[in-house]
Amino acid sequence: MERRTIGDCLRQPLLTSGHPSAPGRLDLELLLASVTGRNRGFVLAHPEYLLSYNESRLYHQLLERRLQGEPLAYILGYREFWGLTLKVTPAVLIPRPDTELLVEQALAHWPEQSRAVTVLELGTGSGAIALALASEHPEAQITASDLSTAALAVARQNAANLGLRVRFVHSDWFDAISGRFDLILSNPPYVAVDDPHLRDPALQHEPRMALQAGPRGLNAIARIIREAPDHLRPDGLLLLEHGHDQGAAVRQLLANKGYQNIQTLQDLGNSDRVTLGCWPGAERHTEDGALPKSWTSS
Ligand code: GLN
């Protein structure tokens, strides 16, 4: 095989354009960084660098996988989220930039407590959300669950790599969870089974259980909303990521169950993406002993 320079390889888009999974220039830069064992800065600064035979062969193999539609994060084996480098494998959903909104909102509503704040993340996958919160609040007691033991292994490794403290639990939603939390959050599966989005070639590589959730995509969300009150402290907060067209349904589910202060927030693309609700707690009274106004029927 003919040896090529980094500059030659970066001219590849001309050759692959028109291909259904044509990688962008950033993808090529990151692949080149990976095969040369350097960072992207090196790749950008050294178009004259001549790839070794091994590097060239590896580059071609990785590029071929990319052209077959495999997501770049799985090929590289990592993805950045909230400024953290996370290991990802096909056992976990690739963390999306939109999900940073969930982290942002958890931080914006972070409870003020004199003791350590307790947090539960359900369906943690790579651990992205729990680890992002742990990086911001190392003193918090954060628990993260997943039904997939393969995902939990990836999440545990991420925690170890980053030196962050999260307690990981194998659980089907709340089934193996005990205790109550100030904050519960989740990016559960929320795509409807017949949503054409599920046929998107990029999604074929990701775990179906992390994406698909019943006929309207609301099965997991409804279950979490139903069961969370048994695990929230009084005034505890539930935050959920959901589909762009599920905001009204999620608000309704929360309202029906008795959550309060319900609001939906939009992601960077201006789509409804996160809805939160506060669990008042059964015995809650206002300062003067009367039930909160919002509890009286109107
Ligand atoms: N937002 C993801 C997507 O568009 C879905 C993630 C999820 O179901 N939690 O593929």
Side-chain angles (χ1 to χ4, degrees):
M1 185 185 297
E2 169 195 350
R3 286 177 69 186
R4 294 189 305 158
T5 64
I6 281 180
D8 296 334
C9 295
L10 287 176
R11 282 187 281 279
Q12 189 84 29
L14 297 175
L15 305 176
T16 58
S17 62
H19 190 285
S21 309
R25 184 176 165 109
L26 176 62
D27 286 19
L28 300 182
E29 289 166 3
L30 293 172
L31 288 176
L32 286 163
S34 174
V35 301
T36 56
R38 316 286 180 113
N39 59 25
R40 189 169 156 240
F42 174 86
V43 170
L44 295 177
H46 294 284
E48 79 291 349
Y49 175 91
L50 193 62
L51 271 69
S52 71
Y53 286 111
N54 273 343
E55 288 167 344
S56 281
R57 192 169 44 242
L58 188 56
Y59 178 70
H60 275 278
Q61 283 166 2
L62 300 188
L63 184 60
E64 191 48 41
R65 283 168 63 187
R66 188 69 196 84
L67 287 169
Q68 296 300 318
E70 190 173 340
L72 185 72
Y74 290 150
I75 299 173
L76 297 175
Y78 71 87
R79 168 58 47 106
E80 302 281 334
F81 181 83
W82 201 261
L84 307 173
T85 301
L86 297 169
K87 171 187 161 114
V88 293
T89 73
V92 302
L93 190 80
I94 299 165
R96 315 280 205 259
D98 286 342
T99 300
E100 293 192 339
L101 177 66
L102 192 61
V103 175
E104 251 168 57
Q105 288 302 316
L107 295 174
H109 292 88
W110 198 257
E112 281 185 32
Q113 303 284 359
S114 43
R115 54 171 175 77
V117 168
T118 53
V119 179
L120 171 65
E121 192 218 343
L122 296 167
T124 193
S126 64
I129 296 164
L131 293 168
L133 293 178
S135 75
E136 299 287 340
H137 286 284
E139 76 294 347
Q141 285 178 18
I142 303 178
T143 303
S145 76
D146 210 285
L147 178 57
S148 157
T149 50
L152 284 173
V154 174
R156 284 198 176 97
Q157 197 176 334
N158 278 323
N161 291 347
L162 296 165
L164 294 169
R165 197 169 49 96
V166 169
R167 191 172 71 101
F168 292 101
V169 180
H170 180 226
S171 181
D172 185 2
W173 303 121
F174 289 103
D175 287 359
I177 303 294
S178 56
R180 290 185 182 264
F181 302 84
D182 298 307
L183 208 78
I184 298 179
L185 74 173
S186 183
N187 170 20
Y190 53 69
V191 184
V193 279
D194 61 354
D195 189 325
H197 178 51
L198 283 178
R199 292 199 292 273
D200 184 330
L203 294 194
Q204 304 318 310
H205 298 263
E206 296 191 278
R208 237 339 96 116
M209 68 183 277
L211 290 163
Q212 182 177 300
R216 295 173 60 210
L218 289 167
N219 284 14
I221 285 178
R223 180 162 166 199
I224 293 170
I225 288 175
R226 202 166 56 237
E227 297 181 15
D230 288 340
H231 296 278
L232 281 166
R233 290 180 188 265
D235 289 327
L237 207 61
L238 175 64
L239 295 105
L240 295 167
E241 179 172 325
H242 52 72
H244 65 94
D245 53 357
Q246 291 172 329
V250 175
R251 288 193 300 277
Q252 190 65 55
L253 287 166
L254 286 164
N256 290 350
K257 182 73 187 171
Y259 291 79
Q260 298 181 348
N261 303 329
I262 298 163
Q263 44 171 317
T264 297
L265 291 309
Q266 286 75 38
D267 63 19
L268 294 172
N270 229 11
S271 301
D272 284 357
R273 187 60 62 196
V274 167
T275 294
L276 54 93
C278 179
W279 183 250
E283 282 84 45
R284 180 165 174 250
H285 293 265
T286 54
E287 294 284 300
D288 60 4
L291 283 173
K293 277 212 184 53
S294 49
W295 279 33
T296 56
S297 53
S298 53

